[in-house]
Amino acid sequence: MKPRKIKDKIYWMGFIDWDNRLFDSLIPLPDGTSYNSFLIEGSEKTVLIDTVESHLAGELLAQLENVSKLDYLVSLHSEQDHSGSIPQILARYPDAKLITSPKAKGLLKDLLHVPEESFITVSDGETLSLGDKTLEFIHTPWVHWPETMVAYLKEDKILFSCDFFGSHIATTDLYVTDEARVYEAAKRYYAEIMMPFRKVIKKNLEKITSYDISIIAPSHGPMYPRPEFIIDAHRDWIDGPLKNLVVLPYISMHNSTKKMVDFFIASLAEKGVSVERFNLAVTDIGKLAITLVDAGTIVIGTPTILAGPHPNVVYGAFLANALRPKAQFLSIIGSYGWGGKTVEILAGMIPNLKVEIIEPVLAKGLPSEDDFKALENLAETIAAKHKEKGFK
Ligand code: FEO
């Protein structure tokens, strides 16, 4: 794709990755993604903000075909989907200086072997004159790596935010046209990589909203012509109230756990509690992550195998612990054959979750009447706790 004009002397470049279905060999990409770069031609200096994956460097270099001189290459974030082509860009423009935060310098030297002499590091709030345009660099650490920063183009009121406010969507739309679609994709993106850092992201959010922003230009997905849409969404995801919702990731091997899950979901629904159920054998982990953003309670369903929880459940619990959702309650349900330490193992896997553990329900083999009664009580307890907390 050729460069696309955003405003006078400001262009989108990069790559729309329609076919990629798995990011970092971990994160599902149901709608592909994009790696956005931005070229700004000031009256005196020309700058490129961010690059693309290393194997896509040829695409970016072709878009730069008519750019004879590049004065600066800005790296807002060192992860390779944005930094990967830095060596190739610097090879084409050997006089260009690479502008980074001080922390990014060390990372890029390690990750890409960028030579010391290429770097200029910028402090928080430092500005760079391009002649008739001015870039201000704002340090926004831990969005989602320690070195991340954003850049504000003062005259045009554009905030180049890299991963911050990103969404994994492959689209020819330069700007958001369907906010509902982008809301879901951006929430998924926030849940998958930003949620663990929400406390520091909250501070960064307040920091950047003191700027007069007309457009937010992230390095994944379309740009936001109505910045308050995505800023308000982030405020809600970070700090908003929890929902009267149970997220229920589970596995069943011989249907006993599934019978318990089915009964339990019906019981919660009767008591006015919503449930999102995820079969970990087949689920899209991104959808599970979205639900974890604001669910009040997590209930894990698992059979016992090899004396502990099913390996897929271990994976789900590991992810939930790493993502640090806001949930306040957690319980475990499931079935076992002759013994094991399922509850102890799972409880030990979630130290990051600041939850009250509600008494688990484990059935020996096929669930009995007593087990169903215990599930009914568990549903009653959760409904009462949600009501007490005012979850809506
Ligand atoms: Fe889009 Fe953290 O890289």
mmCIF file of all heavy atoms in Angstrom, residues 92-120:
data_model
loop_
_atom_site.group_PDB
_atom_site.id
_atom_site.type_symbol
_atom_site.label_atom_id
_atom_site.label_comp_id
_atom_site.label_asym_id
_atom_site.label_seq_id
_atom_site.Cartn_x
_atom_site.Cartn_y
_atom_site.Cartn_z
ATOM 1 N N ARG A 92 19.340 2.614 5.211
ATOM 2 C CA ARG A 92 18.963 3.448 4.046
ATOM 3 C C ARG A 92 19.314 4.914 4.302
ATOM 4 O O ARG A 92 19.694 5.632 3.385
ATOM 5 C CB ARG A 92 17.462 3.281 3.779
ATOM 6 C CG ARG A 92 16.812 4.373 2.947
ATOM 7 C CD ARG A 92 17.036 4.196 1.439
ATOM 8 N NE ARG A 92 16.193 3.142 0.906
ATOM 9 C CZ ARG A 92 14.945 3.305 0.477
ATOM 10 N NH1 ARG A 92 14.388 4.507 0.511
ATOM 11 N NH2 ARG A 92 14.264 2.290 0.019
ATOM 12 N N TYR A 93 19.146 5.353 5.555
ATOM 13 C CA TYR A 93 19.401 6.767 5.906
ATOM 14 C C TYR A 93 20.481 6.816 7.000
ATOM 15 O O TYR A 93 20.164 7.031 8.182
ATOM 16 C CB TYR A 93 18.115 7.442 6.396
ATOM 17 C CG TYR A 93 16.976 7.404 5.412
ATOM 18 C CD1 TYR A 93 15.958 6.466 5.538
ATOM 19 C CD2 TYR A 93 16.921 8.318 4.348
ATOM 20 C CE1 TYR A 93 14.906 6.430 4.636
ATOM 21 C CE2 TYR A 93 15.866 8.280 3.440
ATOM 22 C CZ TYR A 93 14.869 7.331 3.589
ATOM 23 O OH TYR A 93 13.825 7.292 2.692
ATOM 24 N N PRO A 94 21.728 6.624 6.651
ATOM 25 C CA PRO A 94 22.785 6.506 7.674
ATOM 26 C C PRO A 94 22.992 7.770 8.499
ATOM 27 O O PRO A 94 23.550 7.699 9.605
ATOM 28 C CB PRO A 94 24.039 6.176 6.845
ATOM 29 C CG PRO A 94 23.702 6.462 5.432
ATOM 30 C CD PRO A 94 22.223 6.399 5.284
ATOM 31 N N ASP A 95 22.526 8.926 8.002
ATOM 32 C CA ASP A 95 22.697 10.160 8.787
ATOM 33 C C ASP A 95 21.523 10.414 9.734
ATOM 34 O O ASP A 95 21.553 11.366 10.529
ATOM 35 C CB ASP A 95 22.853 11.371 7.851
ATOM 36 C CG ASP A 95 24.146 11.280 7.045
ATOM 37 O OD1 ASP A 95 25.117 10.693 7.574
ATOM 38 O OD2 ASP A 95 24.160 11.757 5.891
ATOM 39 N N ALA A 96 20.476 9.613 9.627
ATOM 40 C CA ALA A 96 19.306 9.815 10.498
ATOM 41 C C ALA A 96 19.657 9.459 11.934
ATOM 42 O O ALA A 96 20.406 8.507 12.188
ATOM 43 C CB ALA A 96 18.148 8.950 10.014
ATOM 44 N N LYS A 97 19.135 10.234 12.864
ATOM 45 C CA LYS A 97 19.329 9.939 14.281
ATOM 46 C C LYS A 97 18.088 9.230 14.820
ATOM 47 O O LYS A 97 16.951 9.564 14.450
ATOM 48 C CB LYS A 97 19.550 11.235 15.071
ATOM 49 C CG LYS A 97 20.923 11.835 14.824
ATOM 50 C CD LYS A 97 22.008 10.923 15.375
ATOM 51 C CE LYS A 97 23.406 11.421 15.101
ATOM 52 N NZ LYS A 97 24.445 10.415 15.371
ATOM 53 N N LEU A 98 18.324 8.275 15.703
ATOM 54 C CA LEU A 98 17.226 7.510 16.290
ATOM 55 C C LEU A 98 16.856 8.133 17.633
ATOM 56 O O LEU A 98 17.688 8.170 18.551
ATOM 57 C CB LEU A 98 17.663 6.051 16.480
ATOM 58 C CG LEU A 98 16.646 5.124 17.135
ATOM 59 C CD1 LEU A 98 15.361 5.031 16.316
ATOM 60 C CD2 LEU A 98 17.249 3.730 17.324
ATOM 61 N N ILE A 99 15.627 8.644 17.732
ATOM 62 C CA ILE A 99 15.178 9.300 18.964
ATOM 63 C C ILE A 99 14.387 8.310 19.809
ATOM 64 O O ILE A 99 13.409 7.716 19.330
ATOM 65 C CB ILE A 99 14.314 10.539 18.618
ATOM 66 C CG1 ILE A 99 15.180 11.573 17.890
ATOM 67 C CG2 ILE A 99 13.696 11.127 19.876
ATOM 68 C CD1 ILE A 99 14.437 12.833 17.517
ATOM 69 N N THR A 100 14.827 8.161 21.061
ATOM 70 C CA THR A 100 14.146 7.219 21.966
ATOM 71 C C THR A 100 14.125 7.799 23.381
ATOM 72 O O THR A 100 14.822 8.774 23.675
ATOM 73 C CB THR A 100 14.898 5.865 22.037
ATOM 74 O OG1 THR A 100 16.132 6.063 22.744
ATOM 75 C CG2 THR A 100 15.186 5.289 20.677
ATOM 76 N N SER A 101 13.370 7.139 24.241
ATOM 77 C CA SER A 101 13.484 7.443 25.674
ATOM 78 C C SER A 101 14.802 6.828 26.161
ATOM 79 O O SER A 101 15.337 5.911 25.524
ATOM 80 C CB SER A 101 12.302 6.856 26.444
ATOM 81 O OG SER A 101 12.377 5.446 26.442
ATOM 82 N N PRO A 102 15.341 7.304 27.280
ATOM 83 C CA PRO A 102 16.608 6.733 27.775
ATOM 84 C C PRO A 102 16.526 5.228 28.006
ATOM 85 O O PRO A 102 17.461 4.493 27.687
ATOM 86 C CB PRO A 102 16.841 7.497 29.086
ATOM 87 C CG PRO A 102 16.144 8.797 28.886
ATOM 88 C CD PRO A 102 14.921 8.478 28.082
ATOM 89 N N LYS A 103 15.403 4.759 28.525
ATOM 90 C CA LYS A 103 15.274 3.313 28.786
ATOM 91 C C LYS A 103 15.260 2.504 27.485
ATOM 92 O O LYS A 103 15.755 1.385 27.418
ATOM 93 C CB LYS A 103 13.993 3.029 29.553
ATOM 94 C CG LYS A 103 14.138 3.190 31.051
ATOM 95 C CD LYS A 103 13.223 2.212 31.800
ATOM 96 C CE LYS A 103 13.509 2.235 33.279
ATOM 97 N NZ LYS A 103 12.704 3.210 34.003
ATOM 98 N N ALA A 104 14.666 3.089 26.435
ATOM 99 C CA ALA A 104 14.574 2.367 25.165
ATOM 100 C C ALA A 104 15.953 2.164 24.538
ATOM 101 O O ALA A 104 16.172 1.182 23.821
ATOM 102 C CB ALA A 104 13.673 3.138 24.204
ATOM 103 N N LYS A 105 16.847 3.072 24.814
ATOM 104 C CA LYS A 105 18.179 2.962 24.208
ATOM 105 C C LYS A 105 18.823 1.615 24.573
ATOM 106 O O LYS A 105 19.305 0.887 23.699
ATOM 107 C CB LYS A 105 19.049 4.125 24.683
ATOM 108 C CG LYS A 105 20.460 4.105 24.130
ATOM 109 C CD LYS A 105 21.216 5.339 24.590
ATOM 110 C CE LYS A 105 22.690 5.220 24.216
ATOM 111 N NZ LYS A 105 23.447 6.412 24.637
ATOM 112 N N GLY A 106 18.808 1.292 25.846
ATOM 113 C CA GLY A 106 19.393 0.021 26.276
ATOM 114 C C GLY A 106 18.678 -1.166 25.645
ATOM 115 O O GLY A 106 19.305 -2.121 25.187
ATOM 116 N N LEU A 107 17.349 -1.078 25.600
ATOM 117 C CA LEU A 107 16.576 -2.190 25.036
ATOM 118 C C LEU A 107 16.899 -2.395 23.557
ATOM 119 O O LEU A 107 17.096 -3.516 23.102
ATOM 120 C CB LEU A 107 15.074 -1.900 25.193
ATOM 121 C CG LEU A 107 14.451 -2.269 26.540
ATOM 122 C CD1 LEU A 107 13.051 -1.678 26.650
ATOM 123 C CD2 LEU A 107 14.404 -3.779 26.716
ATOM 124 N N LEU A 108 16.950 -1.297 22.812
ATOM 125 C CA LEU A 108 17.181 -1.427 21.365
ATOM 126 C C LEU A 108 18.606 -1.877 21.055
ATOM 127 O O LEU A 108 18.845 -2.559 20.054
ATOM 128 C CB LEU A 108 16.861 -0.102 20.658
ATOM 129 C CG LEU A 108 15.363 0.236 20.622
ATOM 130 C CD1 LEU A 108 15.125 1.629 20.077
ATOM 131 C CD2 LEU A 108 14.602 -0.798 19.781
ATOM 132 N N LYS A 109 19.533 -1.508 21.932
ATOM 133 C CA LYS A 109 20.898 -2.007 21.744
ATOM 134 C C LYS A 109 20.916 -3.531 21.949
ATOM 135 O O LYS A 109 21.587 -4.260 21.227
ATOM 136 C CB LYS A 109 21.856 -1.315 22.724
ATOM 137 C CG LYS A 109 22.195 0.116 22.274
ATOM 138 C CD LYS A 109 22.869 0.917 23.349
ATOM 139 C CE LYS A 109 24.349 0.589 23.446
ATOM 140 N NZ LYS A 109 25.023 1.493 24.411
ATOM 141 N N ASP A 110 20.157 -3.988 22.936
ATOM 142 C CA ASP A 110 20.107 -5.428 23.208
ATOM 143 C C ASP A 110 19.311 -6.196 22.157
ATOM 144 O O ASP A 110 19.710 -7.256 21.700
ATOM 145 C CB ASP A 110 19.463 -5.685 24.581
ATOM 146 C CG ASP A 110 20.350 -5.237 25.720
ATOM 147 O OD1 ASP A 110 21.567 -5.090 25.506
ATOM 148 O OD2 ASP A 110 19.816 -5.021 26.833
ATOM 149 N N LEU A 111 18.144 -5.645 21.799
ATOM 150 C CA LEU A 111 17.218 -6.398 20.939
ATOM 151 C C LEU A 111 17.614 -6.380 19.474
ATOM 152 O O LEU A 111 17.362 -7.330 18.739
ATOM 153 C CB LEU A 111 15.792 -5.839 21.075
ATOM 154 C CG LEU A 111 15.118 -5.980 22.445
ATOM 155 C CD1 LEU A 111 13.778 -5.267 22.454
ATOM 156 C CD2 LEU A 111 14.937 -7.450 22.800
ATOM 157 N N LEU A 112 18.186 -5.252 19.030
ATOM 158 C CA LEU A 112 18.440 -5.095 17.590
ATOM 159 C C LEU A 112 19.889 -4.742 17.260
ATOM 160 O O LEU A 112 20.220 -4.530 16.099
ATOM 161 C CB LEU A 112 17.514 -3.998 17.025
ATOM 162 C CG LEU A 112 16.012 -4.265 17.147
ATOM 163 C CD1 LEU A 112 15.213 -3.019 16.810
ATOM 164 C CD2 LEU A 112 15.601 -5.400 16.219
ATOM 165 N N HIS A 113 20.708 -4.624 18.303
ATOM 166 C CA HIS A 113 22.122 -4.260 18.117
ATOM 167 C C HIS A 113 22.266 -2.934 17.374
ATOM 168 O O HIS A 113 23.125 -2.791 16.496
ATOM 169 C CB HIS A 113 22.876 -5.379 17.395
ATOM 170 C CG HIS A 113 22.918 -6.655 18.191
ATOM 171 N ND1 HIS A 113 23.470 -7.827 17.726
ATOM 172 C CD2 HIS A 113 22.471 -6.948 19.438
ATOM 173 C CE1 HIS A 113 23.349 -8.769 18.642
ATOM 174 N NE2 HIS A 113 22.738 -8.268 19.691
ATOM 175 N N VAL A 114 21.404 -1.971 17.719
ATOM 176 C CA VAL A 114 21.530 -0.627 17.139
ATOM 177 C C VAL A 114 22.778 0.023 17.749
ATOM 178 O O VAL A 114 22.963 -0.003 18.970
ATOM 179 C CB VAL A 114 20.282 0.235 17.458
ATOM 180 C CG1 VAL A 114 20.447 1.648 16.905
ATOM 181 C CG2 VAL A 114 19.023 -0.431 16.894
ATOM 182 N N PRO A 115 23.654 0.603 16.930
ATOM 183 C CA PRO A 115 24.913 1.148 17.480
ATOM 184 C C PRO A 115 24.692 2.415 18.307
ATOM 185 O O PRO A 115 23.773 3.202 18.043
ATOM 186 C CB PRO A 115 25.744 1.454 16.228
ATOM 187 C CG PRO A 115 24.760 1.551 15.114
ATOM 188 C CD PRO A 115 23.592 0.695 15.470
ATOM 189 N N GLU A 116 25.527 2.579 19.286
ATOM 190 C CA GLU A 116 25.468 3.702 20.227
ATOM 191 C C GLU A 116 25.341 5.054 19.523
ATOM 192 O O GLU A 116 24.539 5.911 19.908
ATOM 193 C CB GLU A 116 26.753 3.654 21.084
ATOM 194 C CG GLU A 116 27.000 4.844 21.977
ATOM 195 C CD GLU A 116 26.191 4.786 23.257
ATOM 196 O OE1 GLU A 116 25.892 3.674 23.722
ATOM 197 O OE2 GLU A 116 25.855 5.868 23.785
ATOM 198 N N GLU A 117 26.111 5.240 18.455
ATOM 199 C CA GLU A 117 26.183 6.568 17.825
ATOM 200 C C GLU A 117 24.892 6.965 17.100
ATOM 201 O O GLU A 117 24.714 8.129 16.738
ATOM 202 C CB GLU A 117 27.380 6.649 16.856
ATOM 203 C CG GLU A 117 27.375 5.627 15.733
ATOM 204 C CD GLU A 117 28.069 4.317 16.107
ATOM 205 O OE1 GLU A 117 28.200 4.036 17.324
ATOM 206 O OE2 GLU A 117 28.451 3.561 15.197
ATOM 207 N N SER A 118 23.975 6.030 16.927
ATOM 208 C CA SER A 118 22.721 6.373 16.235
ATOM 209 C C SER A 118 21.736 7.105 17.149
ATOM 210 O O SER A 118 20.816 7.770 16.664
ATOM 211 C CB SER A 118 22.032 5.098 15.724
ATOM 212 O OG SER A 118 22.802 4.478 14.734
ATOM 213 N N PHE A 119 21.917 6.985 18.460
ATOM 214 C CA PHE A 119 20.864 7.413 19.389
ATOM 215 C C PHE A 119 20.910 8.891 19.764
ATOM 216 O O PHE A 119 21.978 9.472 19.951
ATOM 217 C CB PHE A 119 20.961 6.625 20.702
ATOM 218 C CG PHE A 119 20.503 5.201 20.603
ATOM 219 C CD1 PHE A 119 21.417 4.191 20.306
ATOM 220 C CD2 PHE A 119 19.173 4.870 20.802
ATOM 221 C CE1 PHE A 119 21.002 2.873 20.222
ATOM 222 C CE2 PHE A 119 18.752 3.553 20.720
ATOM 223 C CZ PHE A 119 19.675 2.552 20.430
ATOM 224 N N ILE A 120 19.722 9.469 19.901
ATOM 225 C CA ILE A 120 19.522 10.686 20.701
ATOM 226 C C ILE A 120 18.416 10.324 21.689
ATOM 227 O O ILE A 120 17.346 9.859 21.266
ATOM 228 C CB ILE A 120 19.031 11.872 19.841
ATOM 229 C CG1 ILE A 120 20.098 12.291 18.826
ATOM 230 C CG2 ILE A 120 18.647 13.052 20.727
ATOM 231 C CD1 ILE A 120 19.624 13.415 17.901
#
